[in-house]
Amino acid sequence: MKKLVLAFGAMMALGATQAMAQTVVSDTDGNGTYSFEELKAAYPDLNEATFTSVDINADGQVDADELQAAREAGTLAA
């Protein structure tokens, strides 16, 4: 029983660590928003259609609020 509890605890700790991990998106040009190329570096499977759906205000850039909304909606992985 003790081994089972320890194994369960280890699995929960690993799961919590993975849940806390977040995909890092870098603003490489420092303009405060993310271009398709910047998001593509963090999300290699990203396509133009998904980028367009994330870019709510259609300005060709994704800001922090749009990125967070896409993560919360499950459009982009956290």
Side-chain angles (χ1 to χ4, degrees), residues 13-39:
L14 178 62
T17 301
Q18 289 174 345
M20 291 172 46
Q22 188 170 41
T23 301
V24 176
V25 181
S26 296
D27 178 18
T28 57
D29 61 6
N31 70 348
T33 59
Y34 306 106
S35 66
F36 176 76
E37 292 77 17
E38 290 167 332
L39 282 177

Side-chain angles (χ1 to χ4, degrees), residues 22-27 32-35 38-40 42-43 46 50-51 53-57 61-78:
Q22 188 170 41
T23 301
V24 176
V25 181
S26 296
D27 178 18
T33 59
Y34 306 106
S35 66
E38 290 167 332
L39 282 177
K40 181 85 171 163
Y43 298 99
L46 181 71
T50 302
F51 180 82
S53 74
V54 172
D55 180 19
I56 297 167
N57 65 2
Q61 298 287 312
V62 172
D63 64 28
D65 291 335
E66 291 169 327
L67 179 59
Q68 184 61 33
R71 287 174 168 170
E72 289 174 2
T75 305
L76 296 175

